[in-house]
Amino acid sequence: MTKKQIQVFFERLREQRPHPKTELNYTSPFELLVAVTLSAQATDVSVNKATDKLFPVANTPEAIYALGVDGLKQYIKTIGLYNAKAKNVIKACKILIEKHNSVVPDNRADLEALPGVGRKTANVVLNTAFGQPTMAVDTHIFRVSNRTGLAIGKNVLEVEHRLVKVIPKEFMIDSHHWLILHGRYTCIARKPKCYECVVADVCQWPDRFEFGAAKSIPVKMIEDKI
């Protein structure tokens, strides 16, 4: 995509969802950290079902640490990889209590030092909890970025760096959520809903017309509108 096409792309996504947000349920940075940690290779719906029972009982590092691994497992056993996740969350709680006064750090180094917290999880917390202009690339964002021509890369790190470089500053804070939601509900993997896509006319995917996208507006016309 050209710079002007990218501008149109995010203007359309903003018009569609003026106030995007994560679909994980949380009320504090710590709850978000736990929820995102649990969401690896699991759906937001499954995580919410578990945390909706867990958080009313324990939603601080001290409270969850007091549950212990076995106690925590009882709340999250419906989530994939729950054994490993329970161990990581308990270890992370211990570190938060001992090194950070039970406060979730607002920097990448300290977040990624927590068990079970990788770059993607750290990016989500930094962006969603602390409003930092980070980009957490999951499978949805990786697919949308490559398919549309927004940011092409062979791996998630390449796509992340490309997105941070090309996304205009005015869209950066919310772009993570716009791209995830677009990939989750419109630009889906097997049968993308190009027939109802609000950015189909700037999308660069050659196969979009086979999935019902209307004939593209000439690039010159798009640029003339900006």
Side-chain angles (χ1 to χ4, degrees), residues 26-201:
Y26 76 98
T27 60
S28 69
F30 176 71
E31 287 188 358
L32 177 64
L33 174 64
V34 172
V36 178
T37 300
L38 296 177
S39 71
Q41 299 183 49
T43 65
D44 288 357
V45 172
S46 68
V47 172
N48 288 338
K49 287 181 178 179
T51 57
D52 284 350
K53 295 179 180 179
L54 170 65
F55 290 156
V57 175
N59 68 341
T60 65
E62 290 86 355
I64 289 184
Y65 186 71
L67 291 175
V69 173
D70 290 336
L72 179 57
K73 284 182 184 180
Q74 297 307 307
Y75 291 96
I76 67 171
K77 59 185 177 181
T78 56
I79 301 174
L81 306 176
Y82 74 94
N83 283 309
K85 290 176 180 178
K87 292 177 182 178
N88 283 333
V89 169
I90 293 300
K91 289 178 182 178
C93 287
K94 187 173 188 293
I95 293 173
L96 289 174
I97 294 168
E98 294 178 350
K99 295 186 177 181
H100 302 286
N101 296 315
S102 298
V103 175
V104 175
D106 61 358
N107 66 86
R108 181 184 303 284
D110 286 336
L111 282 171
E112 291 188 7
L114 297 173
V117 178
R119 185 178 182 87
K120 185 179 76 172
T121 297
N123 279 339
V124 172
V125 173
L126 291 173
N127 177 266
T128 304
F130 300 111
Q132 296 184 24
T134 57
M135 175 56 64
V137 178
D138 68 350
T139 55
H140 295 301
I141 294 180
F142 185 80
R143 179 178 64 256
V144 170
S145 299
N146 276 285
R147 178 183 279 170
T148 63
L150 173 64
I152 297 174
K154 297 179 181 178
N155 54 60
V156 294
L157 191 58
E158 285 186 9
V159 170
E160 177 189 332
H161 289 163
R162 181 63 180 164
L163 286 171
V164 172
K165 181 178 180 181
V166 303
I167 296 174
K169 290 183 179 180
E170 65 176 300
F171 304 115
M172 194 61 214
I173 294 297
D174 291 324
S175 60
H176 166 252
H177 297 304
W178 282 322
L179 292 173
I180 283 181
L181 295 172
H182 189 64
R184 184 172 290 168
Y185 297 111
T186 302
C187 196
I188 56 182
R190 295 185 179 180
K191 294 182 179 180
K193 301 176 182 179
C194 301
Y195 55 87
E196 64 180 30
C197 178
V198 298
V199 293
D201 56 345

Side-chain angles (χ1 to χ4, degrees), residues 4-17:
K4 291 184 177 180
Q5 287 172 329
I6 291 173
Q7 180 74 23
V8 170
F9 183 90
F10 283 103
E11 285 179 353
R12 299 272 180 79
L13 294 183
R14 180 171 61 188
E15 290 173 5
Q16 184 182 42
R17 296 184 174 92

